[in-house]
Amino acid sequence: VHLEESGGGLVHAGNSLRLSCVASGTDSSINDMAWHRQLPGNQREWIATVNSAGITNYADSVKGRFTVSIDNAKSTTYLQMNGLKPEDTAVYRCNAHFVGTLNDYWGLGTQVTVSS
């Protein structure tokens, strides 16, 4: 199974970015997909989760600014990030769980840098 994130970049504070994460290499159905970010010092923070039914959960730090969604047919999750702040600067990584397995799959991440 391979997860690949895209959509990161350098933006000014207040602007928006949309990240994508595509899962490939399996015929299994998605159970859920989540976004995390790797902060300086390698601290990892959970951002949001969406399951195959579209039910979402968010960390308080992004609630109201970020929106996570899923396209089951494309095995893709999206993270719409609005009102970006310099403290959102991090490597954003997705992970996925598939039906019928307890394995935890991760992408390598995409860099998001927000300038003040």
Side-chain angles (χ1 to χ4, degrees):
V1 178
H2 180 70
L3 299 184
E4 184 166 356
E5 302 92 340
S6 62
L10 170 63
V11 296
H12 291 296
N15 284 356
S16 300
L17 281 174
R18 188 193 194 208
L19 307 183
S20 300
C21 173
V22 181
S24 60
T26 179
D27 291 329
S28 298
S29 298
I30 292 171
N31 187 38
D32 60 81
M33 300 183 81
W35 288 93
H36 305 249
R37 58 190 180 191
Q38 205 89 27
L39 302 170
N42 263 344
Q43 178 185 356
R44 185 189 297 164
E45 178 186 13
W46 167 77
I47 297 300
T49 300
V50 59
N51 68 12
S52 59
I55 297 172
T56 58
N57 281 293
Y58 297 92
D60 288 342
S61 58
V62 304
K63 200 173 293 184
R65 298 189 298 125
F66 291 9
T67 302
V68 64
S69 59
I70 192 168
D71 185 332
N72 291 301
K74 296 182 179 180
S75 298
T76 301
T77 180
Y78 304 96
L79 185 67
Q80 177 67 43
M81 305 187 295
N82 298 329
L84 283 162
K85 305 175 181 179
E87 52 263 43
D88 293 319
T89 294
V91 174
Y92 283 71
R93 301 178 66 191
C94 69
N95 81 319
H97 300 98
F98 296 89
V99 175
T101 176
L102 297 177
N103 291 342
D104 191 27
Y105 298 97
W106 288 85
L108 294 178
T110 183
Q111 176 70 48
V112 171
T113 303
V114 184
S115 64
S116 56

mmCIF file with all atom_site columns, all heavy atoms in Angstrom, residues 13 17 25 29 61 74 103:
data_model
loop_
_atom_site.group_PDB
_atom_site.id
_atom_site.type_symbol
_atom_site.label_atom_id
_atom_site.label_alt_id
_atom_site.label_comp_id
_atom_site.label_asym_id
_atom_site.label_entity_id
_atom_site.label_seq_id
_atom_site.pdbx_PDB_ins_code
_atom_site.Cartn_x
_atom_site.Cartn_y
_atom_site.Cartn_z
_atom_site.occupancy
_atom_site.B_iso_or_equiv
_atom_site.pdbx_formal_charge
_atom_site.auth_seq_id
_atom_site.auth_comp_id
_atom_site.auth_asym_id
_atom_site.auth_atom_id
_atom_site.pdbx_PDB_model_num
ATOM 1  N N   . ALA A 1 13  ? 0.291   34.165 5.525  1.00 0.00 ? 13  ALA A N   1
ATOM 2  C CA  . ALA A 1 13  ? -0.735  33.973 6.557  1.00 0.00 ? 13  ALA A CA  1
ATOM 3  C C   . ALA A 1 13  ? -2.075  34.507 6.055  1.00 0.00 ? 13  ALA A C   1
ATOM 4  O O   . ALA A 1 13  ? -2.144  35.541 5.389  1.00 0.00 ? 13  ALA A O   1
ATOM 5  C CB  . ALA A 1 13  ? -0.323  34.681 7.838  1.00 0.00 ? 13  ALA A CB  1
ATOM 6  N N   . LEU A 1 17  ? -4.704  26.525 1.397  1.00 0.00 ? 17  LEU A N   1
ATOM 7  C CA  . LEU A 1 17  ? -4.113  25.428 0.622  1.00 0.00 ? 17  LEU A CA  1
ATOM 8  C C   . LEU A 1 17  ? -5.054  24.229 0.699  1.00 0.00 ? 17  LEU A C   1
ATOM 9  O O   . LEU A 1 17  ? -5.782  24.070 1.689  1.00 0.00 ? 17  LEU A O   1
ATOM 10 C CB  . LEU A 1 17  ? -2.753  25.017 1.171  1.00 0.00 ? 17  LEU A CB  1
ATOM 11 C CG  . LEU A 1 17  ? -1.527  25.856 0.826  1.00 0.00 ? 17  LEU A CG  1
ATOM 12 C CD1 . LEU A 1 17  ? -0.313  25.341 1.605  1.00 0.00 ? 17  LEU A CD1 1
ATOM 13 C CD2 . LEU A 1 17  ? -1.255  25.843 -0.669 1.00 0.00 ? 17  LEU A CD2 1
ATOM 14 N N   . GLY A 1 25  ? -2.382  0.576  -4.370 1.00 0.00 ? 25  GLY A N   1
ATOM 15 C CA  . GLY A 1 25  ? -1.713  -0.685 -4.091 1.00 0.00 ? 25  GLY A CA  1
ATOM 16 C C   . GLY A 1 25  ? -2.546  -1.677 -3.310 1.00 0.00 ? 25  GLY A C   1
ATOM 17 O O   . GLY A 1 25  ? -2.026  -2.686 -2.824 1.00 0.00 ? 25  GLY A O   1
ATOM 18 N N   . SER A 1 29  ? -11.261 -1.878 0.894  1.00 0.00 ? 29  SER A N   1
ATOM 19 C CA  . SER A 1 29  ? -12.002 -0.636 1.117  1.00 0.00 ? 29  SER A CA  1
ATOM 20 C C   . SER A 1 29  ? -11.381 0.141  2.259  1.00 0.00 ? 29  SER A C   1
ATOM 21 O O   . SER A 1 29  ? -10.844 -0.427 3.208  1.00 0.00 ? 29  SER A O   1
ATOM 22 C CB  . SER A 1 29  ? -13.460 -0.954 1.446  1.00 0.00 ? 29  SER A CB  1
ATOM 23 O OG  . SER A 1 29  ? -14.078 -1.619 0.375  1.00 0.00 ? 29  SER A OG  1
ATOM 24 N N   . SER A 1 61  ? -7.105  22.801 17.489 1.00 0.00 ? 61  SER A N   1
ATOM 25 C CA  . SER A 1 61  ? -6.219  23.801 16.893 1.00 0.00 ? 61  SER A CA  1
ATOM 26 C C   . SER A 1 61  ? -6.607  24.160 15.454 1.00 0.00 ? 61  SER A C   1
ATOM 27 O O   . SER A 1 61  ? -6.194  25.207 14.951 1.00 0.00 ? 61  SER A O   1
ATOM 28 C CB  . SER A 1 61  ? -4.771  23.312 16.923 1.00 0.00 ? 61  SER A CB  1
ATOM 29 O OG  . SER A 1 61  ? -4.648  22.084 16.225 1.00 0.00 ? 61  SER A OG  1
ATOM 30 N N   . LYS A 1 74  ? -12.031 7.259  -5.328 1.00 0.00 ? 74  LYS A N   1
ATOM 31 C CA  . LYS A 1 74  ? -10.659 7.605  -5.726 1.00 0.00 ? 74  LYS A CA  1
ATOM 32 C C   . LYS A 1 74  ? -9.637  7.260  -4.651 1.00 0.00 ? 74  LYS A C   1
ATOM 33 O O   . LYS A 1 74  ? -8.454  7.558  -4.816 1.00 0.00 ? 74  LYS A O   1
ATOM 34 C CB  . LYS A 1 74  ? -10.570 9.096  -6.055 1.00 0.00 ? 74  LYS A CB  1
ATOM 35 C CG  . LYS A 1 74  ? -11.402 9.524  -7.251 1.00 0.00 ? 74  LYS A CG  1
ATOM 36 C CD  . LYS A 1 74  ? -11.229 11.006 -7.531 1.00 0.00 ? 74  LYS A CD  1
ATOM 37 C CE  . LYS A 1 74  ? -12.036 11.426 -8.746 1.00 0.00 ? 74  LYS A CE  1
ATOM 38 N NZ  . LYS A 1 74  ? -11.893 12.871 -9.039 1.00 0.00 ? 74  LYS A NZ  1
ATOM 39 N N   . ASN A 1 103 ? -3.391  -2.968 9.994  1.00 0.00 ? 103 ASN A N   1
ATOM 40 C CA  . ASN A 1 103 ? -2.181  -2.247 9.582  1.00 0.00 ? 103 ASN A CA  1
ATOM 41 C C   . ASN A 1 103 ? -2.442  -0.749 9.488  1.00 0.00 ? 103 ASN A C   1
ATOM 42 O O   . ASN A 1 103 ? -3.533  -0.296 9.144  1.00 0.00 ? 103 ASN A O   1
ATOM 43 C CB  . ASN A 1 103 ? -1.683  -2.771 8.245  1.00 0.00 ? 103 ASN A CB  1
ATOM 44 C CG  . ASN A 1 103 ? -1.149  -4.181 8.343  1.00 0.00 ? 103 ASN A CG  1
ATOM 45 O OD1 . ASN A 1 103 ? -0.841  -4.657 9.421  1.00 0.00 ? 103 ASN A OD1 1
ATOM 46 N ND2 . ASN A 1 103 ? -1.044  -4.857 7.207  1.00 0.00 ? 103 ASN A ND2 1
#
